[in-house]
């Protein structure tokens, strides 16, 4: 775990030197898991993000996803989110469909997510591919340390602004803490690096990430 954490931290140093703008942020998320059967559940999700550069709340997401376990190691899911910009965020609201496959083997979880982005400024659908890997290290009494990496690949370009290519990476180091029965929290440091593309500056976001999960 120490080597994994050190490697994750060192991997951020080259891109840190290249970052042209930086921002301090707060990311929050609430998940409510509702079991429909032993293998199927619905997850309702609410996301809010705050930014220093954009003077407060700038991004929200509301949606849900239905997930089904095919085996002890494989899960599939299909869901929807409505994404909205606020404050200094000039991005238009959009709707997203998403599908994922989750593979879990012991302490390691991998997820492949595909998003379809529907934008009000055009009929073209933006396809986005998001592979993620996460390592969980139990330290006792339900507490786990974790490290995760997620990459964002734009599969196509659209007239309303999506550009094909490697768009950003997102790395998190944190801890999962049980609060009360059926409620846990993920607390961590999130580093997001957006590459300089299409004439825009590269940007690095430093965020406190707080995620609360309730399982019913």
């Amino acid at each position: 775990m120490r080597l994994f954490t050190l490697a994750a931290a060192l991997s951020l140093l080259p891109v840190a030197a290249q970052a042209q703008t930086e921002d301090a942020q707060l990311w929050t998320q609430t998940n409510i898991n509702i079991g429909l059967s032993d293998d199927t559940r619905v997850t309702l999700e609410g996301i809010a993000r705050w930014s220093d550069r954009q003077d407060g709340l700038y991004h929200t997401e509301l949606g849900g996803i239905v997930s089904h376990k095919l085996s002890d190691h494989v899960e599939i899911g299909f869901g929807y989110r409505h994404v909205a910009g606020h404050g200094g965020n000039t991005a238009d609201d959009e709707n997203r469909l998403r599908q994922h496959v989750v593979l879990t083997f012991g302490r390691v979880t991998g997820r492949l997510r595909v998003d379809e982005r529907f934008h009000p400024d055009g009929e073209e659908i933006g396809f986005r591919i998001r592979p993620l890997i996460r390592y969980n290290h139990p330290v006792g009494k339900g507490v786990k340390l974790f490290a995760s990496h997620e990459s964002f690949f734009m599969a196509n370009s659209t007239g309303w602004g999506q550009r094909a290519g490697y768009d950003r990476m997102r790395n998190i180091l944190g801890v999962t803490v049980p609060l009360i029965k059926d409620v846990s929290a993920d607390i961590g440091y999130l580093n997001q690096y957006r590459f300089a593309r299409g004439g825009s500056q590269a940007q690095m976001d430093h965020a406190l990430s707080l995620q609360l999960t309730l399982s019913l």
Side-chain angles (χ1 to χ4, degrees):
M1 180 60 187
R2 292 176 182 174
L3 291 175
F4 185 89
T5 302
L6 179 60
L10 291 176
S11 70
L12 300 179
L13 294 179
V15 294
Q18 300 171 22
Q20 298 180 28
T21 61
E22 297 191 34
D23 190 17
Q25 300 189 2
L26 170 64
W27 291 28
T28 63
Q29 179 167 344
T30 300
N31 305 314
I32 301 176
N33 295 320
I34 304 170
L36 302 180
S37 69
D38 291 341
D39 297 323
T40 305
R41 72 177 187 273
V42 173
T43 302
L44 305 178
E45 304 161 317
I47 292 173
R49 296 172 186 166
W50 287 262
S51 161
D52 276 353
R53 291 182 66 241
Q54 301 191 68
D55 297 323
L57 179 68
Y58 76 98
H59 180 95
T60 58
E61 300 184 19
L62 293 173
I65 190 164
V66 179
S67 303
H68 178 73
K69 293 184 67 175
L70 300 178
S71 70
D72 290 340
H73 303 292
V74 182
E75 175 188 284
I76 59 174
F78 179 85
Y80 163 82
R81 275 185 184 167
H82 176 74
V83 180
H86 306 272
N89 187 353
T90 59
D92 291 324
D93 296 2
E94 65 180 60
N95 296 296
R96 296 176 186 167
L97 296 179
R98 56 202 169 105
Q99 304 82 45
H100 72 220
V101 177
V102 178
L103 304 177
T104 302
F105 294 94
R107 299 177 181 179
V108 178
T109 298
R111 186 194 71 201
L112 178 62
R113 172 176 290 175
V114 178
D115 293 335
E116 293 88 39
R117 305 173 65 197
F118 298 85
H119 198 275
D121 291 340
E123 296 182 356
E124 298 168 289
I125 301 173
F127 292 91
R128 184 169 66 177
I129 302 170
R130 299 171 51 177
L132 176 147
I133 187 167
R134 171 168 166 155
Y135 174 79
N136 299 288
H137 186 80
V139 294
K141 296 184 178 180
V143 178
K144 298 178 182 178
L145 302 178
F146 70 88
S148 71
H149 168 83
E150 185 175 17
S151 288
F152 291 69
F153 298 92
M154 303 305 189
N156 66 317
S157 297
T158 67
W160 47 260
Q162 177 168 297
R163 300 179 183 89
Y166 190 13
D167 185 70
R168 75 189 75 172
M169 71 170 80
R170 193 176 288 172
N171 300 285
I172 308 176
L173 295 174
V175 58
T176 300
V177 181
L179 301 179
I180 57 176
K181 182 181 179 181
D182 300 324
V183 180
S184 65
D186 281 7
I187 305 167
Y189 163 70
L190 182 150
N191 180 283
Q192 177 171 261
Y193 184 78
R194 298 170 182 258
F195 296 94
R197 303 174 67 234
S200 64
Q201 287 186 320
Q203 178 173 321
M204 179 176 286
D205 301 321
H206 305 276
L208 172 62
S209 176
L210 304 174
Q211 182 169 292
L212 188 69
T213 300
L214 168 64
S215 298
L216 302 178

